[in-house]
Amino acid sequence: MKYLNKKQAKSLFKKYLKGQCTPEEEELLESFLQSYQDDSNIWSDLDFNEAIKERVWEKLKNQAVPERKSTVRKIYSSSWIKYAAVVIGLTVALISYFNYNDIDGELLKIDEEMIVLQTGNGKNNLNENAAGEITNESGKVIASQRKGVLSYKKDSTLKELVYNEIKVPRGKTFKLILSDGTWVHLNAGTSLRFPVNFLPGANREVFLLGEAYFEVARDEQSPFIVQANDMEVEVLGTHFNVSSYEGSNHHTVLVEGSVQVNNKTAKTLNFEPLVIKPGQKASLVPEGLNINEVDVKDYIGWTQDLLIFNDDSFTEIIQKIERRYNVEVENNYSELNDSRFHGKFSEESIIDLMNTFKESANFDYLINDGKIIINKKENAYGDMNKN
């Protein structure tokens, strides 16, 4: 018997809305719904009320293909628990299907931006799941894209550096293989300027703004250097993560091997670059670098589509949410800014995430003019002055 995980179920719910499920897939969905044995937490987990359930049901009826209506009745009619489970699954699917979130009648429209590759030929818009080739001014193929990875070709005939730049918008990530075989995982809201080909015996230097995870191909003769604003990271061949988002702490986390990290604006007289070990994080501070032992999984989880908060301030969390979901968040509850939270999220929609924080941080939020606005909950702590 085949079973669905949450991600697979969401995909099938989306197909079901379009009337594209096979009989076997419909059976899998029914089995998935049967797994909900206890309905006591279903509605409270998603903060559903009667008005929302009615709107979801209307959407389902409007989107269902006529010839599939008997199947819809079949799934929904057996029990209220099944109906609740279907609504939960389809609510998440509708979010992806219509590319917006709906909460209390307000729409949160999420605009989709393209990944842009700047070459000598101008700007190329990239679809992260497409396949194709990139050419230079003379029509020569310099890179090809397959299965969401853009891979540059090594060309030993080039005698000078020619740079390309890739910009990944908020809400997306991308993978790139440089001409030396180095893998670069680019996080949302990141740009990387890099040579089309590296020159033999010379430093392999790239320029980062944002966040990237590097798996550097080893070359003893050509150190690999990441210039990330005021931070410089030098390696021969290793795995490490660099974060240099504007307005946030700049740091490097080493997964394996060794790297040398430099603060180019350190105020300490004669500051020397430091070598860090696997499991260490080097953060820029005015005096130079601050070295801490960390769990590297917390810093590279984004490469597996995980959103992880590990003692992050609420200000930092908002920045991460905005980058991951390509949304704008306005926090009017300033007392939360320095509060710190732990949490791990995978496939949750922005509304799922906000509802989770709403309960744990005890705030209210609303959606207005395409923006998420956080407000202090009235009587959040109760009337403590009452006798």
Side-chain angles (χ1 to χ4, degrees):
M1 177 71 176
K2 184 178 180 181
Y3 295 94
L4 296 176
N5 58 34
K6 185 177 179 182
K7 186 173 183 180
Q8 292 168 330
K10 287 181 183 179
S11 177
L12 279 189
F13 276 130
K14 185 174 178 180
K15 287 183 65 177
Y16 184 79
L17 274 179
K18 299 178 181 179
Q20 297 176 348
C21 277
T22 65
E24 180 186 11
E25 289 171 334
E26 289 178 5
E27 290 181 8
L28 286 174
L29 278 178
E30 290 189 35
S31 297
F32 176 78
L33 300 179
Q34 288 283 5
S35 66
Y36 286 88
Q37 300 299 320
D38 182 4
D39 65 338
S40 60
N41 296 320
I42 291 176
W43 300 115
S44 59
D45 286 349
L46 291 185
D47 198 24
F48 271 0
N49 57 39
E50 291 299 325
I52 295 177
K53 286 185 284 187
E54 286 300 318
R55 287 203 300 274
V56 172
W57 179 237
E58 285 302 315
K59 287 178 182 178
L60 296 182
K61 289 192 295 184
N62 291 335
Q63 289 301 318
V65 179
E67 57 267 27
R68 309 293 291 187
K69 285 186 177 178
S70 62
T71 307
V72 173
R73 286 197 295 270
K74 177 184 176 183
I75 291 180
Y76 288 117
S77 60
S78 61
S79 72
W80 178 251
I81 296 177
K82 280 191 178 182
Y83 169 77
V86 173
V87 171
I88 289 171
L90 285 176
T91 300
V92 179
L94 281 164
I95 288 169
S96 300
Y97 186 67
F98 293 106
N99 198 29
Y100 64 69
N101 289 292
D102 190 346
I103 183 75
D104 290 337
E106 293 286 348
L107 297 184
L108 176 61
K109 183 169 176 56
I110 300 176
D111 295 324
E112 183 174 354
E113 300 177 46
M114 298 296 293
I115 297 167
V116 176
L117 177 68
Q118 179 74 52
T119 68
N121 286 338
K123 292 183 178 179
N124 300 268
N125 290 331
L126 303 180
N127 183 320
E128 59 267 43
N129 297 314
E133 295 180 331
I134 304 297
T135 59
N136 60 16
E137 297 93 325
S138 61
K140 185 176 182 179
V141 175
I142 58 174
S144 59
Q145 185 181 353
R146 299 288 185 274
K147 297 181 179 179
V149 180
L150 182 62
S151 179
Y152 274 74
K153 301 179 182 295
K154 189 172 184 178
D155 187 351
S156 58
T157 65
L158 291 178
K159 303 302 180 184
E160 61 181 21
L161 293 177
V162 176
Y163 285 88
N164 281 183
E165 183 174 16
I166 190 166
K167 296 182 179 180
V168 181
R170 298 193 311 180
K172 294 188 176 182
T173 59
F174 196 67
K175 296 176 184 177
L176 174 71
I177 303 178
L178 303 179
S179 62
D180 65 339
T182 292
W183 277 76
V184 187
H185 303 250
L186 299 163
N187 205 351
T190 295
S191 65
L192 182 73
R193 185 169 175 262
F194 57 94
V196 172
N197 260 268
F198 297 104
L199 302 182
N203 288 345
R204 297 171 288 167
E205 192 169 29
V206 299
F207 301 85
L208 174 72
L209 179 60
E211 184 169 27
Y213 177 64
F214 294 87
E215 300 176 32
V216 177
R218 191 168 188 85
D219 185 343
E220 300 284 352
Q221 306 303 315
S222 301
F224 191 96
I225 299 174
V226 179
Q227 301 288 358
N229 290 324
D230 297 331
M231 180 168 52
E232 180 181 84
V233 183
E234 181 176 334
V235 304
L236 296 177
T238 187
H239 296 186
F240 60 100
N241 193 83
V242 179
S243 182
S244 64
Y245 285 114
E246 186 175 351
S248 63
N249 173 256
H250 297 177
H251 60 263
T252 297
V253 174
L254 182 60
V255 177
E256 62 179 60
S258 66
V259 301
Q260 178 177 275
V261 186
N262 185 26
N263 183 344
K264 295 185 289 185
T265 62
K267 294 181 180 179
T268 302
L269 191 64
N270 299 322
F271 175 78
E272 295 291 334
L274 298 179
V275 175
I276 62 174
K277 300 175 181 178
Q280 289 186 330
K281 171 187 174 184
S283 304
L284 295 193
V285 292
E287 296 74 25
L289 293 170
N290 186 32
I291 309 298
N292 297 106
E293 302 289 333
V294 297
D295 185 346
V296 297
K297 296 177 184 176
D298 292 339
Y299 294 88
I300 65 172
W302 65 266
T303 65
Q304 303 298 321
D305 203 28
L306 296 175
L307 181 61
I308 299 175
F309 308 128
N310 185 8
D311 200 36
D312 290 349
S313 70
F314 196 66
T315 299
E316 294 170 320
I317 287 171
I318 287 177
Q319 292 173 344
K320 288 185 177 182
I321 290 173
E322 290 181 324
R323 287 194 295 263
R324 179 181 175 95
Y325 293 99
N326 191 21
V327 296
E328 184 178 354
V329 180
E330 178 182 311
N331 180 24
N332 295 326
Y333 189 4
S334 58
E335 292 94 324
L336 279 178
N337 287 339
D338 295 328
S339 299
R340 296 187 173 273
F341 298 87
H342 296 261
K344 181 185 292 185
F345 300 86
S346 176
E347 301 168 353
E348 288 77 5
S349 71
I350 180 62
I351 297 302
D352 291 333
L353 182 65
M354 292 305 300
N355 284 343
T356 299
F357 269 105
K358 174 183 175 180
E359 297 305 318
S360 61
N362 210 17
F363 62 74
D364 282 327
Y365 75 94
L366 56 87
I367 296 168
N368 185 29
D369 195 24
K371 181 192 301 183
I372 297 175
I373 301 175
I374 296 173
N375 296 311
K376 184 175 182 179
K377 182 179 291 186
E378 293 185 11
N379 300 320
Y381 302 101
D383 193 348
M384 299 177 64
N385 296 320
K386 277 190 176 182
N387 293 324

